[in-house]
Amino acid sequence: MTFDKVRLRFRKENELRFLSHHDLMRCFERLLRRSGLPYRSSQGFHPLPRISIVQPLALGMIGTREVMELELTHFLPPDEILQRLQRHSPSGLTFSQITPIAPNLSAVPIRHQYQVELRIPSPILAEKVQQLDLQDKIWVERLHPKPKSINVRPFIQNLAITANDLAFSLWITTKGTARADEILSLLQDDLNGADLFGLITRTDLILLDELSNTDRLSLPDLSKEPEQIFHPGEKTPRKHLHRTKETIPTSDPDWGTASPNWPRVE
């Protein structure tokens, strides 16, 4: 079956930045229905629009050039698609660009760029940023899926500070990436817990197929497994996943076991 595919750039801000990824997908589903676009759906008992959001934002972040890919049953002019979506999009969601792509092409993100608002000027922060940028190894602690320390230094690029904000880029690889909150927590610890950082904005999401051949040749080799140290013996409490079962007090062995939340049979 032949179909068309487009890639959209959109902006997510204001109150909409508190919308989770799953809620945003439902928002796009309603938006597609209201716009009357001939979107392609999945198969099964609960068909859903065939859309994908590349590298979803963390809750509370602003995104200025986010990426969504949409499959259509037949061709429509890109300008018409953009106009229909803009006409029905809620406040805080703005579409800025649309590009037709091959049906078998999927976005491969390689770098995201961040800008963090500074609440108050700090002369110490510039010095700490410079020291962090000069380090050969930068270790952060992660608890999931297993407790470990990971060296995020190979992922960090262009760490810089101005009078009003902190800017940096993070490489995205098949072996993982660093998170914006991890970088900020390193600086926050060094500054004795001072609450200097405000809104976090992802200003751009760079995709591999959008780079020129010259830019691709200049990409660093990040195919190696990131340096990490596992901490065996440390367990993260996950009470919502581990429930203690108890035997129902009855003489019938077919009752088996049940959760404590089930009604007891005396």
Side-chain angles (χ1 to χ4, degrees), residues 12 16 18-31 51 53 59 90 93:
K12 178 186 174 187
L16 212 65
F18 297 109
L19 209 62
S20 69
H21 172 63
H22 294 291
D23 289 335
L24 183 62
M25 293 291 284
R26 286 191 285 268
C27 175
F28 278 130
E29 184 180 352
R30 291 193 294 270
L31 176 57
I51 57 177
I53 299 177
L59 198 66
L93 182 64

Side-chain angles (χ1 to χ4, degrees), residues 156 172 223 241 256:
I156 304 174
I172 306 171
S223 59
L241 294 182

Side-chain angles (χ1 to χ4, degrees), residues 133-258:
D133 196 34
L134 293 175
Q135 292 181 18
D136 295 332
K137 296 183 179 181
I138 302 175
W139 296 95
V140 299
E141 299 293 328
R142 291 184 182 173
L143 297 178
H144 302 290
K146 294 181 180 180
K148 62 183 176 181
S149 299
I150 183 169
N151 177 26
V152 297
R153 185 64 188 92
F155 303 130
I156 304 174
Q157 184 193 33
N158 301 331
L159 187 62
I161 187 173
T162 64
N164 300 318
D165 55 63
L166 171 71
F168 55 91
S169 301
L170 298 176
W171 291 106
I172 306 171
T173 74
T174 56
K175 304 297 183 179
T177 184
R179 300 195 304 265
D181 61 299
E182 291 176 334
I183 309 304
L184 298 184
S185 64
L186 291 169
L187 297 172
Q188 198 86 356
D189 292 341
D190 290 338
L191 294 170
N192 300 319
D195 190 12
L196 300 179
F197 305 118
L199 290 177
I200 305 175
T201 302
R202 185 160 69 182
T203 56
D204 204 355
L205 186 61
I206 311 298
L207 304 180
L208 181 61
D209 61 89
E210 293 180 348
L211 295 179
S212 64
N213 292 332
T214 305
D215 292 335
R216 291 192 186 195
L217 292 176
S218 62
L219 291 175
D221 182 15
L222 296 174
S223 59
K224 297 181 180 180
E225 187 77 24
E227 189 177 359
Q228 50 192 325
I229 301 174
F230 288 90
H231 305 298
E234 297 182 12
K235 295 183 178 180
T236 306
R238 303 177 70 182
K239 296 180 180 179
H240 62 290
L241 294 182
H242 300 280
R243 291 185 176 180
T244 304
K245 294 184 177 181
E246 63 176 330
T247 303
I248 298 178
T250 175
S251 58
D252 190 348
D254 294 333
W255 280 96
T257 59

